[in-house]
Amino acid sequence: MTYAQSMASMNAKRQEIEALRAELRALQAAAEPQVVDDYLLTGWDGPVRLSDLFGGKRDLIVIHNMGTGCPACTMWADGFNGVYDHLASRAAFVIASPNPVDKQKAFAAGRGWRFPMVSYEGSRFAEDMGYREIGADPFDDKLGGWNPGVSVFRRDGERIVRLSDAEFGPGDGFCVFSLFDLVPDADPTWRPRYSYA
């Protein structure tokens, strides 16, 4: 197949994917929001409620990060660091991990992260949102069953509701994996690392 023929076939598939994405957006718009508790988490300056993280915005994006023991979660956070201002112009944006605040601060400083972070250490937040599996960790037993993803919340009067969530993993649209799909015969063993030097 010529390059032009291949690109025509691939563009047809991309149109199919965009049609599926439109269907997903319609399903999302029709989904009943999930009422959630106003969880108590640990911010860098002390205890903080989920409601405090909105910072005057209607919507809140919370990234469920597995913590400093996960190079893939570090890769996602590095990417969000680059687009943080764009994200924060639309909604409050916070990275949440199970690491204690002192460990978060040191790791974030070393990576140059600019976004706010909270710890859900000692909270049921990650578990209740479906981002912690007690006793079953598909990534690495050392990481304690924490799973990566994103949840989007909205203030609804006095209530907080979750509008949507999505898991992170190879093939998602939230980081470099989609770009790597454009490289035929790329190294299938590639995995994120903390440093490539």
Side-chain angles (χ1 to χ4, degrees), residues 26 112 154-155 193:
R154 178 167 287 168
R155 295 292 303 252
R193 299 188 321 219

Side-chain angles (χ1 to χ4, degrees), residues 96-124:
S97 85
N99 296 128
V101 165
D102 59 336
K103 194 168 188 177
Q104 284 183 346
K105 286 180 179 182
F107 197 72
R111 307 239 21 123
W113 290 346
R114 304 175 299 123
F115 41 72
M117 296 184 74
V118 295
S119 173
Y120 38 63
E121 182 183 39
S123 165
R124 290 190 49 87

